[in-house]
Amino acid sequence: ANLINEPLVVFVCATTGQGDPPDNMKMFWRFLFRKNLPASSLCQLDYAVLGLGDSSYPKFNFVAKKLHKRVLQLGGNPLLPVALGDDQHDLGPDAVVDPWLLALWDKILALYPLPPGLEIISPDVCLPPKYTLHYLAEDSLHPDGGLIQVTAPRAVPSELHPFAARMVSNQRVTAESHFQDVRLIEFDVTGSGITFSAGDVVMIQPQNCPEDVQQFCQLLRLDPDRLFVLKPTEPGASLPALLPQPCTIRHLVTHYLDISCVPRRSFFELLSYFSTNELEREKLQEFSSAQGQEELYSYCNRPRRTTLEALWDFPHTTCAIPPEYLLDLIPRIRPRAFSIASSMLAHPDRIQILMAVVRYKTRLSKPRRGLCSTWLASLNPEQGDVRVPLWVKKGGMKFPADPDTPVIMIGPGTGVAPFRAVIQERVAQGRRGNCLFFGCRQKSKDFYCQAEWEELVAKGFLTLFTAFSRDQEEKIYVQHRIRENRRLVWELLSSRSAHVYLAG
């Protein structure tokens, strides 16, 4: 609604799914496409649109293109053609963003010249940090235990108020001899107010492992037990959510800074300002220049080098990083989404997930590990009270309200997780038209929930088709089973209006 009064707006937007707007844009999207908006609503608006997309998807940058067109229809004045960043380009979206930004600043400065006496800040100047960090006196040291934030009572858990759920069980469901470690993990959400239906998603806020935290503090010469408070540099700016005040360095690094993510170009750019070593500074400047992007890609993205590993490679620079810049330098740890693999009707007050532990090799000697899955897999609820911060989001899958509508579910591997929730829910409601195509490598090694499915087949609640790709000479996948059972599938679709779901 404020858009009508804005003189200049730059939109930066991603495209999700099959050409859908991101979650945080859905309200705005609906508002903008209202039929009753007059064609001159935005005639006072100068605007530019930058899309971030991936050309391997059929609806490449659909949201950016459509937004650009709609603002134009409503009378907006485009400063530039819509820019379509592409993740598939060797240089990533930067290939489009760099030249677009230069052109954008030219246009903006022509329309909105700087007042006399103000100059454009030279690229050689390091901008002030978002926050200033004030250490508290040494004698106010106290262990991390006092920093656990209490969730506001009766607030429905959310990203800003996660629920500290107790982990009940953490069970490996692949054979010990199988190359992949997959877990069925159960959380107790009693008293949280969390409700969900089949197809919904649980968001889990992971943390860094103690060894990485310790290494990081050593490299940057930080005392993990020092307490500090943050103040925003710009008056009125908000502080980062979920960080207690005061906070210890250990808490900041464990729960907030994503030291295991692959660093971005902006990381090397900011780092170059702190460098006291000429060789390191030259390399950092190369990595942050447009010409050095090939080099950066093969240093960082191809081997999936982490932020912590990159800091090791620039030791002189790393020990000179001012602590208040840490929050500008390193992004916060993002929550991870998992399909809920259980139904509240079958397991009240419980949430179960089926999770593959992410682990793979690159040319770096140490195997790459997924932050969240490695952390969750390491937790042992039998050794005491284990808590995991989580909340629930609506999922994209809606299941038929009519009890007679059959569902055909295709869920190879851990893709079967949401279908386990649906089948449990539908069985609890007495619905019989459940057809599942499940595929994995070997019946003896990674046939998830085998006993559960077989019991439901015996009771007549489930029709199950399995494809074990490695159990015979020629590989058999779910698509082969669908083709073999084409008559049944067609019968369910054509005469019984079945819904088809695919997750993988």
Side-chain angles (χ1 to χ4, degrees), residues 156-170:
V156 174
S158 63
E159 184 157 9
L160 295 180
H161 297 283
F163 176 72
R166 186 171 63 86
M167 185 186 278
V168 180
S169 63
N170 181 354

Side-chain angles (χ1 to χ4, degrees), residues 209-278:
C209 70
E211 302 80 62
D212 284 359
V213 172
Q214 192 184 349
Q215 276 198 8
F216 181 88
C217 291
Q218 282 171 348
L219 266 176
L220 276 87
R221 302 183 184 170
L222 295 167
D223 172 0
D225 295 317
R226 273 310 283 280
L227 276 170
F228 65 88
V229 289
L230 287 179
K231 303 243 164 74
T233 310
E234 297 279 326
S238 58
L239 286 167
L242 288 179
L243 263 193
Q245 294 271 29
C247 181
T248 62
I249 293 288
R250 189 192 316 278
H251 185 93
L252 172 73
V253 184
T254 303
H255 297 280
Y256 195 83
L257 299 179
D258 195 352
I259 57 177
S260 73
C261 70
V262 176
R264 314 172 77 131
R265 175 176 167 183
S266 55
F267 167 87
F268 295 97
E269 188 174 350
L270 185 51
L271 212 48
S272 68
Y273 290 111
F274 310 132
S275 191
T276 48
N277 174 290
E278 200 174 334

Side-chain angles (χ1 to χ4, degrees), residues 2-13:
N2 301 340
L3 202 58
I4 286 164
N5 309 316
E6 294 289 353
L8 172 67
V9 175
V10 179
F11 298 97
V12 183
C13 53

Side-chain angles (χ1 to χ4, degrees), residues 2-3 5-12 28 44-49 77 79 104 108 112:
N2 301 340
L3 202 58
N5 309 316
E6 294 289 353
L8 172 67
V9 175
V10 179
F11 298 97
V12 183
F28 171 65
Q44 83 308 334
L45 177 72
D46 289 329
Y47 76 99
V49 176
N77 165 49
L79 298 180
L104 179 71
I108 289 175
Y112 302 87

